[in-house]
Amino acid sequence: MATVDTIVREARTAPELVLQRASRRSVFLWTNGLALLVVSVFLRCWHLGNIPGINGDEAWYGVQALRVASGQSISWLTPTGNPINPFYFLPHVVLHYFLSPSVVALRAVALASGLAALAINYALCRRAFDLRTARVSTLLLALLPVNIAYSRFGWDASQSLAATLLVMYLPLVRLRASAGGSALGAGAMFAAAAAILVHPTNVFALALVFVPVVYVHRKGLGRTVRRTKMPANTWVFALLVALVGLSAWVAWQCAPLAIARLNGPREIGPFLAGYLRLFSGTTVYQFISGAGLATPETGWYQHTTVACNLGFGLLGLWALWGFALRIVTIPTATDACLAWGWLLMLAAFFLVAGPRAVSPHFERYAICLIAPGALVVSRGLCWWMDDSRTDGRRLVVALALAAWLWPASYYVNYFRPFLERGGLSHATFRTGEVDLKQSALRYVLAERDVRQPVEIVCHEWWSYWPLAYLAFREPDVHVVTSDQWQRVTAPGSDRSAETWFVEYGGSSGERDALRAIAGTEARRHAVLDYGLRPAIWVIGPVEKLSRNY
């Protein structure tokens, strides 16, 4: 039989053991979370200068920035007809006052914007919800493959995440601080206007402001409805019609999403599947690296994305269940406004944009849907991880370990296709130890006759703008389109320059260039990608030709 001293000693040591275990678990979670954050930053920076290959859209912004830095005029509309994004463009102008053209300089603003989004989320989520939600949601946003990919991709849409985070949180912070009793601040409205200027499809984030505004003014709106003869359900119907009409008009104005009809019930399944793939990362894998494409060239990479979709699908459903239980058992104004704002935003985006806007090559239009979806998932996960719940503490440890599957899958599905084969998607993303367009330019500069000016002729958008950017400050080197080159080689032209062609292998541009130099002694130099394939051909030098082709 245990003595009294033994019982007392065990009673004293039990709380100490609990504290020791809690302390060890806390140290593990802090260390694991910090390691995940460091790895996510590393994945944003590793091979930033050559993976993926520079493409024409991001180089277009770089050329405009260099022109402003050099005192030249520019186009204030993007090639798709959207207003130029000043929050993305002006930092580029400042950078290019001091830096020479390079792929890293071209992507520095996107990288900074992606990292700033994590800081914005952590700071504002703590005020709108709690510390645990801030930590979970920040790690989730840090690890999502689409966010990593767009942090290392020089497009104006790379700022959509940070912009929509401000639109989402500012109303919620104001709502919680004022307990729903006062009007929302002007900051939310300014953030919404800025987000639309970042990218037009961010107009759908207005739903995240609209719902808290309606909640704050619900009593006044109710009195207005009661004073009128119009039934309440008619008001709701009129409001929905107005929202759908506004969304349709905005999408009609955005040329890439211009449609002649709204999407119907048959598109719901493909849209939700595309939304899931946006979070699992398979959309950007297929778009940029080519993993997931069902072709003989992709090999085993075409099968790896299935596990990513399945894993995040199960996690997402479980998190949504937890979020629904949270709303039912512990209802709060912030959670309710988040839920209704997210659903309204999804509905409007689906009706107007549909499955196409969440598919590979077009997913930049759907970046606005990432922030509210990630926050909903985080709130649901935090419900299950609460210490008061059964096995909640073990669940935190399990999720912390499972989170490493995200960076692992990113390495396998994003970096490996590039490092082993140079890329399996669009030719503009193919790359090698040095960006292929950069290698082509270096070859021309090394082989040129320094006594003559040089013209580099490109037939395709994807080669012209990158070379125009990289060669912008090279003396006596001019990058021209095929149309521009034909005008200066027309009969009667007195301009003389050494001509080089830089074309993608197997493209129509390469065939046109070969026809143009038929009968000359121009050399052909292959620029090889990581897979030792001739991705780009440098053809030249040739003297000025006196005929069109």
Side-chain angles (χ1 to χ4, degrees):
M1 181 179 293
T3 64
V4 174
D5 292 339
T6 303
I7 295 174
V8 172
R9 186 165 54 253
E10 291 178 352
R12 288 177 177 175
T13 56
E16 295 176 0
L17 290 174
V18 171
L19 290 175
Q20 289 176 1
R21 291 172 183 171
S23 177
R24 288 197 296 268
R25 185 175 64 252
S26 178
V27 170
F28 164 75
L29 292 175
W30 269 100
T31 305
N32 188 78
L34 182 60
L36 285 169
L37 193 60
V38 169
V39 168
S40 74
V41 174
F42 173 76
L43 291 176
R44 285 165 165 81
C45 302
W46 191 43
H47 284 289
L48 185 64
N50 68 319
I51 296 180
I54 182 176
N55 75 83
D57 292 336
E58 54 184 340
W60 181 90
Y61 258 103
V63 170
Q64 308 310 309
L66 285 167
R67 286 175 178 171
V68 171
S70 303
Q72 303 177 27
S73 61
I74 66 165
S75 170
W76 290 98
L77 293 178
T78 66
T80 56
N82 297 329
I84 202 166
N85 174 9
F87 307 104
Y88 182 79
F89 178 64
L90 294 179
H92 267 297
V93 174
V94 174
L95 277 178
H96 285 88
Y97 267 115
F98 304 101
L99 300 179
S100 299
S102 69
V103 183
V104 173
L106 197 59
R107 293 170 175 172
V109 177
L111 174 62
S113 300
L115 296 177
L118 303 182
I120 291 171
N121 181 81
Y122 184 77
L124 294 181
C125 190
R126 290 184 62 182
R127 297 182 59 187
F129 295 99
D130 52 61
L131 183 58
R132 169 170 280 177
T133 304
R135 290 172 178 170
V136 172
S137 62
T138 300
L139 278 176
L140 180 59
L141 290 175
L143 295 173
L144 283 179
V146 66
N147 293 339
I148 298 176
Y150 273 78
S151 292
R152 47 185 301 123
F153 205 45
W155 282 359
D156 49 2
S158 298
Q159 292 186 324
S160 287
L161 176 64
T164 50
L165 283 170
L166 291 171
V167 176
M168 178 178 67
Y169 278 122
L170 290 179
L172 297 178
V173 169
R174 184 68 175 174
L175 184 65
R176 183 180 183 185
S178 60
S182 63
L184 298 175
M189 300 302 179
F190 176 80
I196 296 172
L197 198 55
V198 166
H199 200 274
T201 53
N202 292 336
V203 68
F204 295 104
L206 286 174
L208 302 173
V209 179
F210 172 78
V211 171
V213 168
V214 171
Y215 180 85
V216 168
H217 296 286
R218 64 192 184 282
K219 295 181 180 178
L221 292 172
R223 288 192 297 268
T224 301
V225 171
R226 287 191 295 270
R227 283 198 298 265
T228 64
K229 303 277 179 147
M230 187 178 293
N233 58 349
T234 307
W235 278 95
V236 173
F237 177 76
L239 180 61
L240 290 175
V241 170
L243 284 174
V244 171
L246 175 63
S247 300
W249 178 83
V250 170
W252 186 264
Q253 299 303 310
C254 300
L257 293 180
I259 56 175
R261 65 177 181 85
L262 296 178
N263 292 284
R266 286 183 296 181
E267 284 85 10
I268 292 178
F271 175 77
L272 293 179
Y275 192 41
L276 166 65
R277 289 194 294 267
L278 195 65
F279 278 86
S280 68
T282 57
T283 299
V284 292
Y285 295 154
Q286 181 177 334
F287 172 40
I288 301 176
S289 69
L293 291 172
T295 64
E297 186 183 28
T298 58
W300 64 277
Y301 290 114
Q302 63 183 287
H303 306 295
T304 57
T305 54
V306 176
C308 298
N309 291 330
L310 180 62
F312 189 82
L314 295 175
L315 178 69
L317 289 174
W318 187 49
L320 289 177
W321 182 24
F323 186 59
L325 292 175
R326 176 186 290 278
I327 290 179
V328 171
T329 57
I330 314 176
T332 62
T334 50
D335 281 325
C337 287
L338 170 63
W340 284 109
W342 175 58
L343 291 174
L344 183 60
M345 186 179 182
L346 270 182
F349 193 92
F350 163 74
L351 287 173
V352 177
R356 180 170 179 262
V358 292
S359 62
H361 302 274
F362 301 101
E363 77 289 333
R364 60 186 178 276
Y365 304 132
I367 299 297
C368 59
L369 303 177
I370 293 294
L375 183 56
V376 166
V377 169
S378 300
R379 293 294 286 165
L381 291 178
C382 288
W383 166 262
W384 295 114
M385 292 189 297
D386 192 281
D387 290 343
S388 63
R389 311 194 67 79
T390 304
D391 293 330
R393 296 171 183 175
R394 296 178 181 176
L395 179 61
V396 174
V397 176
L399 287 176
L401 293 173
W404 285 100
L405 294 175
W406 253 316
S409 70
Y410 193 87
Y411 172 76
V412 170
N413 292 294
Y414 189 92
F415 284 107
R416 286 285 295 274
F418 283 116
L419 295 173
E420 291 184 356
R421 305 189 186 181
L424 304 169
S425 183
H426 194 286
T428 192
F429 297 134
R430 288 171 64 178
T431 190
E433 288 287 348
V434 177
D435 178 84
L436 301 182
K437 278 76 75 178
Q438 181 74 69
S439 294
L441 178 62
R442 290 180 180 178
Y443 178 80
V444 172
L445 295 178
E447 299 294 325
R448 61 170 290 192
D449 184 348
V450 295
R451 296 168 298 179
Q452 295 187 65
V454 171
E455 284 186 337
I456 300 176
V457 184
C458 302
H459 284 76
E460 296 189 68
W461 170 279
W462 311 109
S463 54
Y464 168 73
W465 284 107
L467 285 167
Y469 169 73
L470 295 169
F472 191 89
R473 289 178 175 162
E474 294 291 341
D476 293 327
V477 176
H478 308 280
V479 181
V480 297
T481 64
S482 59
D483 291 338
Q484 292 170 335
W485 181 73
Q486 287 187 57
R487 286 196 292 269
V488 301
T489 58
S493 172
D494 59 357
R495 184 175 180 183
S496 178
E498 187 178 270
T499 301
W500 295 76
F501 291 87
V502 177
E503 308 292 350
Y504 286 104
S507 67
S508 59
E510 181 194 13
R511 293 190 291 271
D512 291 339
L514 292 177
R515 284 198 301 270
I517 65 168
T520 69
E521 297 181 355
R523 302 189 303 270
R524 297 184 66 194
H525 170 75
V527 180
L528 306 181
D529 62 15
Y530 271 119
L532 301 181
R533 299 175 298 174
I536 288 180
W537 287 96
V538 182
I539 305 171
V542 294
E543 297 298 329
K544 188 191 74 167
L545 304 178
S546 60
R547 60 182 176 84
N548 292 329
Y549 63 94

